[in-house]
């Protein structure tokens, strides 16, 4: 087992994977049905054949979350594959802000625009027992994956195929992590992103503003690019939202913009 891990680490490093040891341990833990630390408690066990298949996929720079087929987000484990973006740790802070704004409202109506796997919508439904959550995405593949997730999690969230217009229906809170990567930046990103994740989920310009203009909502919460937070906050304020604030992500980068209708 230790030798298998050592070889895998070298293969992954040669393929350019960022954290080869961690990935090797997580892939092995997955095939053994244990945790990362549990791998070392089973050092005498035979390594199953599926291990090489998963390792090969990761060496081709397929995202770890797609290879594992599931990924943790706040208290949930979501099914993940190439139909939607892998939920990122910074997005957990978006959920944090939504829950804080909704505190004291026993039954808020919440809309997640561009739901992908369903991560934001499902985490809010999971952590705010009274919330009535709706999630929408233009990608039918993403909605299909979100539907599989909602069934698996047993949460009561309404899923819809469609675009931004739904934000005009009247909500207590509209949240979105919309596409905000520029084409120029796209070309500089890692192959895990450019070769595997859906481009339409990431590349987009002006989507925050389109949502902010259409939305009829008490609270608006956006994830933004760290370099766009000030601009997005300014745009939100210029549209008449008050209490506009920026919250940093776990790495301290300006990431979440929120506002309230006066
Ligand atoms: C950055 S991903 C976010 C996915 C998920 N909310 C998350 O945080 O992990 C953006 C999502 O927005 C969807 N999308 C893009 N344009 C949209 C639009 N005009 N209306 C609704 N969804 C859109 C994409 O298909 C994609 O799933």
């Amino acid at each position: 087992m230790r030798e298998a891990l050592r070889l895998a680490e070298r293969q992954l490093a040669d393929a350019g994977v960022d954290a080869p040891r961690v990935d090797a341990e997580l892939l092995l833990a997955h095939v053994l049905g244990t945790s990362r630390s549990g791998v070392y408690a089973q050092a005498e066990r035979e390594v199953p054949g599926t291990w090489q298949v998963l390792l090969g996929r990761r060496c081709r720079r397929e995202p770890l979350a797609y290879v594992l087929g599931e990924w943790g987000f706040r208290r949930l484990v979501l099914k993940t594959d190439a139909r939607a973006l892998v939920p990122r740790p910074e997005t957990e802070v978006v959920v944090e802000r939504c829950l804080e704004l909704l505190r004291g409202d026993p039954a808020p109506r919440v809309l997640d625009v561009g739901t992908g796997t369903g991560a934001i919508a499902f985490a809010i439904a999971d952590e705010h027992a009274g919330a009535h959550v709706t999630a929408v995405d233009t990608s039918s593949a993403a909605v299909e994956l979100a539907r599989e997730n909602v069934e698996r999690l047993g949460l009561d969230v309404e899923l819809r195929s469609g675009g931004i217009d739904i934000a005009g229906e009247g909500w207590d809170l509209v949240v979105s992590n919309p596409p905000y990567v520029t084409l120029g930046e796209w070309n500089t990103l890692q192959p895990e992103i450019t070769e595997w994740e859906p481009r339409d989920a990431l590349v987009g310009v002006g989507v925050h503003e389109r949502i902010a203009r259409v939305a009829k909502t008490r609270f608006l919460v956006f994830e933004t690019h760290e370099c766009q937070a000030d601009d997005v906050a300014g745009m939100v304020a210029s549209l008449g939202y008050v209490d506009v604030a920026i919250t940093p992500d776990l790495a301290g980068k300006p990431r979440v913009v929120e506002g309230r209708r006066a």
Side-chain angles (χ1 to χ4, degrees):
M1 186 89 73
R2 283 182 196 280
E3 180 60 6
L5 270 175
R6 202 182 56 77
L7 286 174
E9 182 182 359
R10 206 170 65 207
Q11 269 179 271
L12 289 164
D14 289 347
V17 168
D18 264 352
R21 183 70 185 191
V22 175
D23 283 22
E25 288 172 349
L26 285 170
L27 288 168
L28 192 51
H30 182 74
V31 294
L32 293 177
T34 183
S35 64
R36 211 174 126 200
S37 53
V39 164
Y40 293 95
Q42 306 191 26
E44 303 309 317
R45 256 185 77 180
E46 191 104 329
V47 177
T50 45
W51 154 249
Q52 282 302 332
V53 178
L54 299 190
L55 194 58
R57 288 174 61 187
R58 188 66 189 104
C59 283
R60 288 190 291 280
R61 304 295 295 272
E62 187 171 347
L64 185 62
Y66 291 170
V67 178
L68 297 177
E70 59 182 29
W71 202 241
F73 184 80
R74 289 189 68 96
R75 305 193 310 198
L76 305 173
V77 176
L78 298 164
K79 181 173 177 182
T80 41
D81 61 36
R83 287 175 290 178
L85 190 89
V86 177
R88 308 294 206 259
E90 52 266 35
T91 308
E92 300 200 1
V93 180
V94 174
V95 174
E96 192 86 48
R97 286 311 308 150
C98 293
L99 293 169
E100 184 58 34
L101 293 169
L102 295 173
R103 202 196 314 202
D105 187 338
R109 295 188 68 235
V110 177
L111 175 69
D112 174 19
V113 179
T115 200
T117 53
I120 296 174
F122 301 159
I124 293 174
D126 177 49
E127 295 181 53
H128 189 313
H132 301 285
V133 185
T134 300
V136 67
D137 205 295
T138 41
S139 157
S140 51
V143 173
E144 189 183 84
L145 176 59
R147 212 172 288 289
E148 288 166 20
N149 266 318
V150 83
E151 278 162 20
R152 176 179 146 128
L153 296 167
L155 290 167
D156 187 13
V157 172
E158 185 190 355
L159 290 166
R160 297 204 214 166
S161 265
I164 288 166
D165 289 350
I166 294 167
E169 287 181 11
W171 305 89
D172 293 304
L173 185 145
V174 170
V175 56
S176 185
N177 172 18
Y180 55 69
V181 173
T182 61
L183 254 186
E185 190 189 359
W186 174 256
N187 296 320
T188 68
L189 299 175
Q190 292 182 316
E192 276 86 349
I193 300 173
T194 55
E195 288 175 21
W196 295 95
E197 295 200 286
R199 203 177 96 139
D200 289 349
L202 282 153
V203 176
V205 175
V207 190
H208 294 104
E209 181 164 352
R210 284 168 50 211
I211 296 170
R213 285 186 181 281
V214 168
K216 288 196 171 49
T217 180
R218 204 147 52 90
F219 297 112
L220 186 61
V221 181
F222 283 139
E223 179 173 322
T224 67
H225 192 289
E226 63 191 84
C227 302
Q228 298 168 1
D230 284 338
D231 288 349
V232 171
M235 175 275 294
V236 166
S238 75
L239 292 175
Y241 289 87
V242 297
D243 296 342
V244 175
I246 300 173
T247 304
D249 63 21
L250 302 169
K253 296 178 176 165
R255 183 69 64 188
V256 186
V257 173
E258 66 190 55
R260 178 176 65 80
R261 277 284 181 214

